[in-house]
Amino acid sequence: MNQILSALHKFKDGYVSGEDLADKLGVSRTSVFYYIETLREHGYVIEAHPRLGYRLLDVPDRLFPDEIQRDLKTEFIANQVWVYDKTVSTNDVAWDMAIKGAVEGGVVLAEQQTKGRGRLNRSWFSPKRKGLYFSLVLRPQVEPSYAPMITIAASIAVSMAIIKCTGLSVWIKWPNDIFIDGKKAGGILTEMSTELDRIKFVILGIGINTNLSEDDFPEELKNKATGVKCDRLILLKEVLISIEKYYKMLNEKRYDDIKNEWKNLSFILGKRVKLAQGDKVYEGQAQGINKEGGLVLRGDDGFINEFSCGDVTQIHTDKN
Ligand code: BTN
């Protein structure tokens, strides 16, 4: 069936005859007809012309591995892809895959998550086919203290992909929030397994709201969350390409390049912010990030503090 799809994709601007398809696959024309019907049942729109043959008019809004990998211009990201109709959390599935030895770049996706989660034990709203929910298995060559930088690199990658697909202005709130029009459109959850001073693997979980408008969100997220209006498959492929680019930068230790790109996208740079770590709250002006991706704050006493984690909110005062 994949070969039929590939042929239909290849001749997308024209028709491919049932006879050619049958020859190519070494099957009867009746079998070709049967395959075409199955593809239609999966949501593919295929025109059948009595003389010219078949023509692919539209692909469904589904995350099929073949469609994800078709013409995907990456070296190692998404060489292995697993798609679930429904799962608890793609991060959990990817974690198990990593323990079992999944190769670097493997991607676990789900059309729906029943217990999608975000940072700080928050849940991630993951309704069926209304977003992109996926996790990558990575084995970065940096020390565990660089974990925030992995999140930063991923948040830049996701932002750049959204900008490319939509042309919208996208902002990052340190370390992992993706904002559009002042509302959260996506987030990154980085989880890692370490051994002494070495990262064994990282599970990079990415959630992007896509086909969601304000009314679709539960009450507590209304006014806070938004969706990216664009084709999920196109956006997913752009994100995967972009992740590979920024992940390579990270492994090449090009921290200054990453920092500079982050500066252009940062929501809080130069602003007065509050950073909460459990019960402790720090205030100061966001000066930037350090080479490990930690947030650098200048307190009112003039002292500089660096934070590798925390929850940041902007303080709106005259000092901003
Ligand atoms: C956050 O904003 O706090 C991070 C959200 C991360 C959500 C994604 S969806 C795919 C992956 N699986 C999860 O359970 N979480 C991440």
Side-chain angles (χ1 to χ4, degrees):
M1 197 137 82
N2 191 19
Q3 275 171 294
I4 292 217
L5 248 186
S6 298
L8 288 171
H9 269 284
K10 199 163 158 203
F11 298 101
K12 214 170 173 207
D13 296 331
Y15 293 85
V16 53
S17 76
E19 203 173 325
D20 281 353
L21 286 172
D23 284 352
K24 216 181 186 67
L25 271 86
V27 296
S28 69
R29 286 184 65 175
T30 318
S31 303
V32 169
F33 175 78
Y34 164 76
Y35 288 137
I36 296 281
E37 279 309 299
T38 313
L39 286 171
R40 283 177 172 151
E41 277 161 25
H42 280 88
Y44 287 87
V45 183
I46 300 166
E47 182 196 343
H49 188 283
R51 272 181 302 109
L52 301 173
Y54 299 104
R55 184 159 69 126
L56 180 62
L57 296 181
D58 204 5
V59 293
D61 178 27
R62 298 285 298 274
L63 303 173
F64 295 127
D66 291 342
E67 294 295 355
I68 296 168
Q69 290 177 319
R70 187 180 317 284
D71 300 328
L72 181 67
K73 307 237 165 348
T74 55
E75 270 170 44
F76 60 93
I77 295 288
N79 282 354
Q80 263 188 318
V81 170
W82 299 272
V83 181
Y84 292 80
D85 215 35
K86 192 199 250 188
T87 190
V88 178
S89 157
T90 54
N91 263 42
D92 294 346
V93 180
W95 187 277
D96 288 344
M97 302 270 189
I99 287 176
K100 288 180 193 141
V103 294
E104 168 151 89
V107 186
V108 176
L109 300 104
E111 292 283 17
Q112 180 182 4
Q113 295 183 120
T114 51
K115 269 199 177 154
R117 56 174 196 276
R119 270 190 347 130
L120 311 168
N121 271 333
R122 291 174 184 145
S123 63
W124 186 259
F125 184 53
S126 317
K128 191 162 191 168
R129 293 195 201 126
K130 299 277 188 180
L132 289 171
Y133 323 116
F134 60 104
S135 304
L136 293 104
V137 177
L138 298 174
R139 301 181 190 276
Q141 335 239 293
V142 295
E143 287 161 28
S145 59
Y146 284 81
M149 202 47 147
I150 300 170
T151 308
I152 299 280
S155 61
I156 300 170
V158 171
S159 303
M160 295 309 278
I162 297 176
I163 292 170
K164 187 159 180 203
C165 288
T166 65
L168 293 172
S169 294
V170 180
W171 301 101
I172 299 171
K173 183 166 78 84
W174 183 90
N176 72 322
D177 292 336
I178 313 287
F179 274 79
I180 295 174
D181 277 340
K183 293 178 181 170
K184 185 157 166 170
I188 319 272
L189 176 66
T190 309
E191 296 178 316
M192 69 181 173
S193 164
T194 56
E195 178 185 70
L196 296 172
D197 224 7
R198 185 183 79 89
I199 295 179
K200 283 210 277 190
F201 61 81
V202 161
I203 303 301
L204 189 70
I206 299 175
I208 307 172
N209 305 323
T210 54
N211 306 326
L212 285 158
S213 51
E214 217 165 277
D215 292 344
D216 297 320
F217 288 103
E219 212 47 52
E220 68 275 16
L221 293 179
K222 283 196 168 88
N223 304 319
K224 283 193 196 160
T226 189
V228 178
K229 302 274 167 290
C230 89
D231 184 292
R232 285 193 311 156
L233 194 60
I234 294 176
L235 177 60
L236 172 65
K237 291 173 129 179
E238 284 302 335
V239 173
L240 295 172
I241 293 169
S242 191
I243 289 280
E244 185 166 279
K245 172 179 164 185
Y246 288 94
Y247 182 61
K248 278 185 181 169
M249 277 167 87
L250 179 92
N251 275 334
E252 286 161 12
K253 308 205 181 331
R254 290 167 54 197
Y255 306 125
D256 282 341
D257 292 339
I258 299 176
K259 272 161 72 174
N260 284 335
E261 295 218 25
W262 179 82
K263 275 186 191 160
N264 294 332
L265 293 165
S266 172
F267 191 71
I268 56 162
L269 189 68
K271 308 247 171 78
R272 198 170 163 72
V273 296
K274 202 157 57 173
L275 182 138
Q277 277 184 342
D279 295 342
K280 291 200 183 117
V281 178
Y282 303 87
E283 277 188 32
Q285 192 196 37
Q287 301 279 289
I289 49 173
N290 62 23
K291 72 177 192 328
E292 293 171 339
L295 186 66
V296 181
L297 288 190
R298 185 162 55 84
D300 290 337
D301 51 10
F303 282 104
I304 300 286
N305 280 304
E306 300 185 350
F307 300 88
S308 61
C309 60
D311 202 21
V312 170
T313 40
Q314 189 186 337
I315 307 171
H316 294 275
T317 68
D318 295 343
K319 290 186 191 171
N320 268 325

